[in-house]
Amino acid sequence: AQSVTQLDSHVSVSEGTPVLLRCNYSSSYSPSLFWYVQHPNKGLQLLLKYTSAATLVKGINGFEAEFKKSETSFHLTKPSAHMSDAAEYFCVVTLSGSARQLTFGSGTQLTVLP
Amino acid sequence: EPEVTQTPSHQVTQMGQEVILRCVPISNHLYFYWYRQILGQKVEFLVSFYNNEISEKSEIFDDQFSVERPDGSNFTLKIRSTKLEDSAMYFCASSELGDHSTIYFGEGSWLTVV
């Protein structure tokens, strides 16, 4: 069965500094991997997805993530944090092309300090 | 940009009462889902629905729950005889036939059972 582990429950960065949110996954099959963001009192918004094409995936708002099969990782990065990036981020895995059940990580709360 | 809409945004109900949560998926999407997030816990898959029938469901989705597509636009989740532990944010989601791995979420319906 697939699973996903977000290594940090809280990350705090200063505005203008890089963001790194870590995610490791476990899957018996070729996974699809996603990052979703949830702003306060808002729904889940898709940031980016990996589905076995390019290993470096670019998403919205300047975020990107790199799929590393050897490390079973899919870390989310952004070169320069903005105050509006403060939110909860979820790493998500599903079986590529078959099951439609998303398995969510426990989430990382990102705080951006002025 | 098309979006999934959910009503109500917040509902308070007494234990034992029936609740219906409503959703309007994105218009050209054919797969529909319900997920829930109990406060402080992970987002969990409940059920997926395609071609007017349930395609997958989790162990959470027991006889207390049912889903329906009563017309061409709405998708509902009914919870019979609510329990305190049903208090959660319920997310509706949808995806296209051709790209069912990308799932779009609504803003959620917050259910409080008292």
Side-chain angles (χ1 to χ4, degrees):
Chain A
Q2 67 268 29
S3 67
V4 61
T5 302
Q6 291 185 244
L7 299 161
D8 307 294
S9 58
H10 290 87
V11 170
S12 186
V13 301
S14 297
E15 189 175 22
T17 65
V19 175
L20 170 64
L21 305 183
R22 298 183 294 166
C23 172
N24 285 99
Y25 70 91
S26 171
S27 176
S28 303
Y29 302 92
S30 297
S32 292
L33 292 156
F34 308 81
W35 277 97
Y36 281 83
V37 60
Q38 186 179 27
H39 287 92
N41 302 315
K42 294 290 186 182
L44 295 158
Q45 182 184 19
L46 179 66
L47 269 183
L48 50 80
K49 66 175 182 177
Y50 165 79
T51 54
S52 77
T55 56
L56 182 62
V57 181
K58 294 188 184 299
I60 61 172
N61 301 334
F63 284 94
E64 61 183 39
E66 186 171 8
F67 174 71
K68 291 186 177 180
K69 188 174 182 179
S70 61
E71 298 176 10
T72 61
S73 68
F74 190 59
H75 301 332
L76 181 71
T77 60
K78 183 173 180 177
S80 175
H82 191 272
M83 296 296 290
S84 61
D85 294 328
E88 186 147 27
Y89 292 78
F90 294 94
C91 185
V92 179
V93 63
T94 190
L95 297 178
S96 177
S98 56
R100 298 171 192 87
Q101 296 186 36
L102 300 181
T103 299
F104 279 73
S106 53
T108 298
Q109 182 68 46
L110 176 65
T111 300
V112 182
L113 304 171
Chain B
E1 184 177 320
E3 57 182 22
V4 176
T5 58
Q6 292 185 239
T7 54
S9 56
H10 189 191
Q11 181 163 352
V12 180
T13 190
Q14 289 203 324
M15 192 168 53
Q17 296 296 304
E18 177 182 282
V19 162
I20 296 177
L21 305 179
R22 292 181 168 80
C23 169
V24 179
I26 295 173
S27 62
N28 64 331
H29 287 186
L30 296 179
Y31 288 97
F32 313 120
Y33 314 84
W34 285 100
Y35 284 75
R36 79 172 184 189
Q37 184 181 28
I38 295 172
L39 189 64
Q41 297 186 23
K42 293 184 180 183
V43 177
E44 302 171 292
F45 169 79
L46 291 179
V47 65
S48 61
F49 189 89
Y50 170 71
N51 200 25
N52 283 319
E53 62 183 24
I54 292 172
S55 52
E56 292 172 283
K57 62 181 182 179
S58 70
E59 60 273 12
I60 302 168
F61 194 87
D62 59 21
D63 292 343
Q64 181 196 10
F65 294 91
S66 62
V67 289
E68 191 179 28
R69 187 154 165 84
D71 53 42
S73 59
N74 291 283
F75 179 54
T76 63
L77 174 68
K78 182 188 291 185
I79 310 174
R80 287 182 278 274
S81 188
T82 50
K83 298 177 278 198
L84 295 177
E85 53 265 38
D86 295 327
S87 296
M89 177 73 88
Y90 288 82
F91 291 104
C92 177
S94 67
S95 62
E96 293 181 61
L97 178 63
D99 182 17
H100 55 252
S101 66
T102 303
I103 298 177
Y104 296 88
F105 286 82
E107 293 197 352
S109 293
W110 184 246
L111 176 65
T112 302
V113 182
V114 297

